[in-house]
Amino acid sequence: MNTMIGRRPLVALVAVLTFLLRPAATAAASGHAADRIDRLPGQPPVDFDMYSGYITVEKSAGRSLFYLLQEAPEEAQPAPLVLWLNGGPGCSSIAYGASEELGAFRITPRGAGLFLNEYRWNKVANILFLDSPAGVGFSYTNTTSDLYTSGDNRTAHDSYTFLAKWFEKFPHYKYRDFYIAGESYAGHYVPELSQLVHRNNKGIEKPIINFKGFMVGNAVIDDYHDYRGTFEFWWNHGLVSDETYRLLNRSCIDDSSVHPSPACGAAFNVSMEEQGNIDLYSIYTPTCNETATASRRRPRGRYPWMTGSYDPCTDRYSTAYYNRPDVQRALHANVTGAINYPWVTCSDPIYNNWRDAPRSMLPIYKELIEAGLRIWVFSGDTDAVVPLTATRYSIGAMGLATTNSWYPWYDVQEVGGWSQVYEGLTLVTVRGAGHEVPLHRPRQALIMFQHFLQGKPMPGHTTNGTLA
């Protein structure tokens, strides 16, 4: 819904004038004025600045990563800086995080324009979206083999190089409180990049990248526990038969998520037939009526079932919008013409040829918990791709002591979800949300994000969640 509808004319006029007259002195002084977005096609007036462009992370190979920065309004500054990463591997943070989840805008049908997201996260933080690795979204490489040799290790190091150079381009963000967040296969990206930042900050009294912690949602954490929890979720929610549940546990529980065995693949085929044409990413919401079969080909995750059903309609809106030449010009995207193919939400070559993927992130969690960093894990409880049961098993494997036992948290008088606080880690569930929590429960997601930034537990019944 366009939030401009129903406003009094005077309010709308003030918004337009605010957009046109806000100062640009900071951008010019910082040396990144060329990356400033004047206005995106079809964009409503806003009270915040945006920047986008490229950072070269490997000159010899011609690898350049594309970013989009949506700053917080002036009255909210100095706000923290948060890097957001989507997963796949091979899916665009611009397509998903920025355009249908926590970003400032949502895209209208057929990519005709934009409308404001009432619960945009840049109300309380400066949000930096990154398309990673090279070959995803508007990020590109001049070395074709890079598309077939990507993996966790290179992605983490390229992302760190991006950050180091980005802070030089935006020096006023140096020493600002900095967090990393993401979802799905970014359950690998986020802790791996967090570990690099933490280790490179060691011994520096006042690090430029003032890293404070990370947050991941419906995240791939540990193959064994993720498989175990996923099969249990399917069975408990009536998505598979008793026999198939036993078959999945027997054939897949010890498999690698990157290269499942033929027996495991066969078990997945049986499970997909039994599940039918549902949206595994949000099991209680309808699939898009437009070519439901196409949705089953979307590469949205590393696990075999993550190629399954996802509503393709919003994907179509972003595909139409970001392939518009005027949109690309406004975003300073594809300025060299290196992207000589249509923009897509997810890259098949990267997804299908992913190389290294450690089976577990738990050792990284333990290292960063011991370092005293803020770590939150959240989960939409209607997701069958990386479901809540998988997350709970993975967290349970760490054997952390509980400091605040399981309790319901509230948005005004409604239960928004449940939470448990451990020593060094907070788990938050979001009731009724699917795989993309800010898409399905935008208000509750923003409340959660605010509490994460403040380092405060989710509100109980006596405190009630409110939006700042």
Side-chain angles (χ1 to χ4, degrees):
M1 181 178 69
N2 193 321
T3 56
M4 291 298 292
I5 294 175
R7 288 188 175 183
R8 291 176 296 171
L10 179 59
V11 177
L13 177 60
V14 170
V16 172
L17 291 175
T18 300
F19 171 78
L20 293 174
L21 299 178
R22 67 189 189 279
T26 303
S30 301
H32 54 263
D35 284 3
R36 180 170 175 167
I37 297 172
D38 293 327
R39 191 183 184 93
L40 293 173
Q43 174 201 308
V46 295
D47 61 351
F48 55 86
D49 291 330
M50 296 186 294
Y51 300 85
S52 61
Y54 288 95
I55 298 289
T56 299
V57 295
E58 176 54 62
K59 188 174 181 180
S60 62
R63 290 203 300 274
S64 292
L65 300 186
F66 181 81
Y67 79 89
L68 169 64
L69 172 67
Q70 295 177 340
E71 292 190 317
E74 188 176 352
E75 62 269 20
Q77 301 287 6
L81 175 68
V82 179
L83 174 69
W84 175 268
L85 301 170
N86 277 92
C91 292
S92 165
S93 298
I94 308 301
Y96 292 101
S99 300
E100 65 178 47
E101 297 188 74
L102 57 132
F105 305 110
R106 300 284 173 85
I107 301 173
T108 59
R110 296 177 297 280
L114 305 172
F115 62 96
L116 273 174
N117 172 15
E118 182 180 356
Y119 301 107
R120 53 195 179 275
W121 286 15
N122 75 320
K123 284 186 172 183
V124 295
N126 303 285
I127 309 296
L128 178 61
F129 299 95
L130 177 64
D131 275 349
S132 178
V136 171
F138 286 122
S139 295
Y140 67 88
T141 175
N142 293 328
T143 304
T144 303
S145 61
D146 283 347
L147 302 177
Y148 304 94
T149 56
S150 288
D152 280 26
N153 185 61
R154 190 170 73 200
T155 298
H157 282 84
D158 278 1
S159 296
Y160 181 82
T161 299
F162 165 86
L163 279 177
K165 292 187 174 183
W166 189 90
F167 276 97
E168 293 304 317
K169 195 169 191 175
F170 290 80
H172 57 289
Y173 281 108
K174 291 180 178 180
Y175 315 112
R176 188 84 59 98
D177 284 0
F178 174 68
Y179 300 90
I180 305 174
E183 71 185 23
S184 195
Y185 195 78
H188 277 213
Y189 295 164
V190 171
E192 288 168 340
L193 179 57
S194 296
Q195 181 186 53
L196 267 182
V197 174
H198 167 66
R199 289 181 174 181
N200 287 330
N201 278 350
K202 281 186 175 180
I204 302 175
E205 186 175 347
K206 189 179 180 182
I208 288 174
I209 304 178
N210 186 21
F211 183 54
K212 297 297 185 181
F214 72 81
M215 178 171 71
V216 289
N218 292 83
V220 176
I221 298 176
D222 177 89
D223 285 5
Y224 173 83
H225 294 97
D226 287 349
Y227 272 131
R228 179 185 173 194
T230 298
F231 302 153
E232 184 175 311
F233 184 94
W234 289 357
W235 181 73
N236 278 335
H237 287 76
L239 305 183
V240 296
S241 65
D242 294 354
E243 181 182 355
T244 298
Y245 175 53
R246 290 191 291 267
L247 178 63
L248 287 164
N249 280 310
R250 187 169 61 247
S251 305
C252 302
I253 203 74
D254 293 316
D255 261 25
S256 162
S257 63
V258 180
H259 300 295
S261 67
C264 179
F268 277 121
N269 289 337
V270 174
S271 70
M272 295 298 285
E273 287 299 318
E274 291 182 350
Q275 289 158 7
N277 184 31
I278 65 168
D279 184 350
L280 281 181
Y281 293 88
S282 177
I283 61 174
Y284 299 125
T285 55
T287 57
C288 182
N289 289 328
E290 301 176 32
T291 60
T293 54
S295 68
R296 303 183 70 83
R297 297 195 298 269
R298 290 231 172 251
R300 293 297 308 281
R302 186 59 264 168
Y303 286 2
W305 63 84
M306 294 175 89
T307 57
S309 54
Y310 177 74
D311 182 346
C313 295
T314 51
D315 290 3
R316 289 185 171 212
Y317 305 160
S318 60
T319 299
Y321 189 73
Y322 291 118
N323 274 299
R324 288 173 51 175
D326 59 338
V327 172
Q328 295 187 9
R329 286 193 298 270
L331 285 169
H332 321 119
N334 198 21
V335 290
T336 66
I339 304 174
N340 58 358
Y341 46 84
W343 181 95
V344 292
T345 56
C346 299
S347 166
D348 285 337
I350 287 176
Y351 174 80
N352 292 328
N353 296 280
W354 198 254
R355 294 297 181 91
D356 59 295
R359 294 201 63 177
S360 180
M361 295 292 104
L362 296 181
I364 299 180
Y365 273 77
K366 292 176 181 178
E367 176 184 340
L368 299 184
I369 287 172
E370 290 176 2
L373 294 167
R374 185 179 306 162
I375 299 174
W376 280 37
V377 178
F378 64 93
S379 179
D381 61 12
T382 68
D383 174 30
V385 177
V386 189
L388 175 58
T389 45
T391 297
R392 295 179 78 173
Y393 276 129
S394 291
I395 291 175
M398 288 187 276
L400 302 172
T402 297
T403 62
N404 197 345
S405 296
W406 192 263
Y407 69 95
W409 65 269
Y410 283 81
D411 171 16
V412 191
Q413 298 299 319
E414 291 289 329
V415 173
W418 290 264
S419 182
Q420 182 158 331
V421 182
Y422 303 87
E423 286 188 0
L425 184 147
T426 295
L427 170 64
V428 179
T429 78
V430 182
R431 184 166 69 104
H435 191 68
E436 297 175 79
V437 169
L439 169 63
H440 295 282
R441 291 291 185 267
R443 176 185 166 88
Q444 291 76 16
L446 180 56
I447 292 173
M448 176 188 67
F449 181 58
Q450 289 176 316
H451 281 75
F452 166 73
L453 293 178
Q454 296 162 3
K456 296 180 179 179
M458 295 302 291
H461 191 269
T462 56
T463 54
N464 280 325
T466 57
L467 293 171

